[in-house]
Amino acid sequence: MKRIIALCLCSLMLVSTPMTVTAAEEPAQEQEGSKSITADDIQDLKDEIGRLTDQIEKLTKAVKAKQSSGGGSSSGGGGSSSSAPKSWDNYVDYGGNIVYQAGKIELNGGRSNVTFTVKASGGGTYKSALSLANNVGGTLLNCINTSSPGVGFKSAKVNYFCSGVTDADNIAVYQNQDGKWVQLPVVEIRKDHVIVLMSRHGDLAFIRVPVLATITG
């Protein structure tokens, strides 16, 4: 019995010894290749964590809302819903397409902490957006209204989360200005995101088109 115990102890020592050496060596290796972390780096990480957490919360609420209401189109394509867009917690759901502000807004050329409030457009504007989408040969993804009470701007670069959008999509964004739909510059289209340049608040129509239309004044 003593011999068996001794063998077991030797085995444990052989297994644990390399692990101890490795663990002791790792901090030195990390120190050699490490870089100093600045306050800006920490703040950027906090901002990114906050942004991702916010997206997760909004998407979770969107899924729960769709489940409780029976859901709409699950493709995220929009335009197939028989009902108007619906407002939830600062995001808009239309036929399974979810739109809300994502990430930081560049206001007047600089990064800001301003948040745009997003809600569903009124019934008349929504029907007008449907007609617009039909006229340009596209599909209405969503129709929203934006605002930022107490905050004015001359230019804003806004990243909108727009579920179902792909890198290969052509997304035209129109704004209702004094009763006329005016196409806004779209800076970037990538998976689930459309980045738009704005000079005022108002109703926005996100439309998937076969070919990106020419921007008109």
Side-chain angles (χ1 to χ4, degrees):
M1 177 62 71
K2 292 181 179 180
R3 185 177 181 183
I4 293 173
I5 294 173
L7 288 172
C8 291
L9 289 173
C10 289
S11 299
L12 288 172
M13 290 176 64
L14 289 172
V15 171
S16 61
T17 300
M19 293 173 64
T20 303
V21 173
T22 302
E25 292 176 349
E26 284 178 354
Q29 293 174 354
E30 290 177 359
Q31 290 175 2
E32 292 176 2
S34 64
K35 296 180 180 179
S36 59
I37 299 176
T38 65
D40 288 340
D41 292 333
I42 295 174
Q43 186 59 50
D44 287 342
L45 287 172
K46 289 181 178 178
D47 290 344
E48 182 67 13
I49 291 171
R51 184 182 67 80
L52 292 174
T53 300
D54 185 55
Q55 287 191 18
I56 291 170
E57 289 178 351
K58 288 179 179 178
L59 287 174
T60 300
K61 291 177 181 178
V63 171
K64 290 181 179 179
K66 284 182 62 59
Q67 289 175 343
S68 63
S69 64
S73 169
S74 61
S75 64
S80 60
S81 174
S82 59
S83 59
K86 297 180 180 179
S87 297
W88 299 98
D89 184 15
N90 210 28
Y91 68 89
V92 178
D93 178 6
Y94 172 58
N97 175 271
I98 306 297
V99 169
Y100 60 83
Q101 176 216 318
K104 295 291 184 179
I105 294 177
E106 289 185 18
L107 216 60
N108 301 323
R111 190 178 183 185
S112 74
N113 291 319
V114 173
T115 298
F116 281 6
T117 300
V118 175
K119 65 180 182 180
S121 297
T125 303
Y126 152 66
K127 291 178 180 178
S128 177
L130 277 175
S131 297
L132 172 66
N134 184 61
N135 290 337
V136 298
T139 302
L140 180 65
L141 296 182
N142 216 318
C143 190
I144 69 172
N145 177 275
T146 69
S147 63
S148 56
V151 179
F153 62 90
K154 293 182 178 179
S155 64
K157 182 179 179 182
V158 191
N159 181 351
Y160 288 101
F161 178 90
C162 189
S163 64
V165 169
T166 70
D167 295 349
D169 278 335
N170 294 312
I171 307 298
V173 179
Y174 291 84
Q175 186 177 57
N176 194 315
Q177 299 180 1
D178 303 320
K180 179 182 178 181
W181 289 105
V182 177
Q183 188 177 356
L184 300 182
V186 174
V187 177
E188 183 182 355
I189 300 168
R190 65 176 189 269
K191 180 176 173 55
D192 294 328
H193 291 270
V194 179
I195 300 177
V196 185
L197 295 181
M198 304 170 58
S199 59
R200 64 168 80 174
H201 283 302
D203 293 290
L204 301 180
F206 292 78
I207 301 175
R208 179 183 283 118
V209 293
V211 178
L212 197 59
T214 302
I215 294 176
T216 58

